[in-house]
Every structure is written in C-alpha cells, then in structure tokens.
Amino acid sequence: MFVGDSMTIGRAGDFTWRYRMWQHLTTTPEPAAEPAGAHRIVGPRTALYDTLTDAPTSHDYADPAFPGHARRHLAGWGEGWQHMAPLIGPAAAAAEADVLLVSLGLIDLGFYTKADETAANARRFVAAARAARPGVRMVFLPVIPNVRAEEDAPFAAEVDRFNELLAKAVADLTTDTSPILLAARPQDYDIHRDTYDGTHPNASGEHRLAGEFAAVLHQAWGIGGPYRPASGT
C-alpha cells in the first residue's frame, strides 16, 4: 500500500512514482523469491488530484494502460501524518496490507505541525497500523529536498530535525514481527531537474523515489529486484 501526500497521489496527467513501482514489480522479479507480477497493490483510493476541481477526481494517468487494480493507494493532496494516522488502521485492515510504502512529512511541516508533533503523529501511525495488522512491514521515506527548504532556512531546519526524529522513531519502534525501515533520501536529487515546481516529482524524480523504495524492498525482504527504469519512460 502506497501512503503519502501530493507527491504520491499525483495530479491529472502524471505517471506518479506509484506507477513506476508497479512497472518495477511487474517486470523485475527476484529470481530466488516470487515471480514478476506476484505482488498485489492495495488501498482504498485510485484517483489523482485534479487542479480544476481541487479534489481527487481525476483518472487521467499519463499512461492510460495503467491498470485499475494497480492504481490503488492511500494518498491525498494536502494530507500528512496527522491525516493518515487515523485512516491507516481501517485501510490496512480492509485491504489486508502486508507492506506500507510511506512518503509523508513535507505537507505537515509546511502547513500543520512542527517537527516534534509531526514525529509524534508518525508514531501514532505506526501504532494504528500495527493494531490493525500486527505483522505489517513499513518503509518510510524521509522528507526530500524541496524549494521551500532551499529558500527558507528555519523551515529547512525543521525538515532536518524531523528527519532525525523519524530515524529515531524507526530505530525505537522496529520489531522482528513488524519491521520498519528507513529509505534513503534520493542521491543527488535536484529540485531543478527532478521536479516540475520545486516540490512535486517529474518523470526523473518519480524514478528516483521509486528507486529508493525498491532498493529497500529488494535488499531487506527480497521483494522485486534492483531498480531499472522501464525503457522509454
């Protein structure tokens, strides 16, 4: 289950990094583990954010062949840890989610909560997910580079502090039964090259985000293989 904010839901006309992960999981199996296509994407939502309606009402993905069952997610434009903490339990239970790929934090810090409260909401999220699915595995992505952090030093400091607190939460809360891993911030991520507005990923940014999640899944749990972008995309 993909869980995230505007960078994960995407807007009308986007491919999304979710699409890149679907491509990866259906084309690059781990030879010693499961075959390609063995992984099921789950979640209660399928739409993209539509700037015309200011709501998640679009199904206009950049690739119309992106199958409906693989479009599932729990992501929302303007939604952060504080929004997802009360939603993750029912969503994970209903979908029987085994692995959560989570990209949250930027919208929280930008509009709702400081680093400490944001980290507390991340811990609430973990507790709720485990209450619903005791053996659920989770991968968290730190807040990645963005234009506001480049231009606003106090905000950049909050991002750095939150990322430290998120790493501490992962270390504190991971268990053998329900492991939590921290993905790396994408190496050499450049907001002028990898986003279309300084925050939201374009095609190269989508591949970089998908690649970090794919690396954790492959290295830690033998899901999928090394990330290789599909040719022509």
Side-chain angles (χ1 to χ4, degrees):
M1 181 185 290
F2 304 113
V3 184
D5 52 28
S6 57
M7 291 185 287
T8 298
I9 186 175
R11 66 176 184 174
D14 284 352
F15 283 99
T16 75
W17 70 262
R18 299 182 284 107
Y19 170 84
R20 311 299 182 180
M21 277 297 297
W22 166 74
Q23 280 189 313
H24 166 70
L25 290 172
T26 55
T27 58
T28 55
E30 169 58 40
E34 297 175 329
H39 313 291
R40 185 167 57 96
I41 294 171
V42 298
R45 305 173 182 176
T46 58
L48 297 158
Y49 173 76
D50 192 329
T51 56
L52 296 179
T53 62
D54 190 26
T57 55
S58 175
H59 295 276
D60 184 21
Y61 283 85
D63 182 358
F66 189 19
H69 66 84
R71 297 180 179 188
R72 297 186 178 280
H73 62 81
L74 177 62
W77 200 276
E79 296 184 58
W81 286 107
Q82 70 170 6
H83 304 88
M84 294 304 176
L87 298 181
I88 190 57
E96 299 183 338
D98 296 318
V99 179
L100 307 178
L101 304 183
V102 185
S103 173
L104 290 169
L106 178 58
I107 196 71
D108 304 81
L109 299 170
F111 293 94
Y112 306 121
T113 51
K114 295 294 186 181
D116 290 79
E117 188 178 351
T118 305
N121 286 331
R123 289 173 179 261
R124 288 176 51 222
F125 177 100
V126 171
R130 284 176 171 165
R133 299 284 291 170
V136 70
R137 294 175 284 179
M138 296 171 255
V139 183
F140 294 163
L141 184 74
V143 175
I144 62 174
N146 60 87
V147 66
R148 181 170 172 184
E150 188 173 86
E151 299 174 349
D152 182 341
F155 179 74
E158 284 295 310
V159 169
D160 289 344
R161 174 160 174 75
F162 170 72
N163 282 342
E164 291 173 359
L165 293 172
L166 184 65
K168 185 178 187 305
V170 168
D172 289 345
L173 299 176
T174 190
T175 67
D176 291 341
T177 302
S178 174
I180 310 173
L181 297 174
L182 192 65
R185 297 180 92 191
Q187 187 175 11
D188 300 325
Y189 193 88
D190 185 338
I191 65 172
H192 307 289
R193 177 194 62 211
D194 297 319
T195 76
Y196 61 77
D197 61 359
T199 297
H200 299 93
N202 58 19
S204 66
E206 290 168 357
H207 281 301
R208 288 174 181 271
L209 297 186
E212 296 304 336
F213 281 110
V216 173
L217 294 180
H218 171 57
Q219 293 166 12
W221 300 322
I223 299 174
Y227 186 78
R228 298 183 180 90
S231 61
T233 61

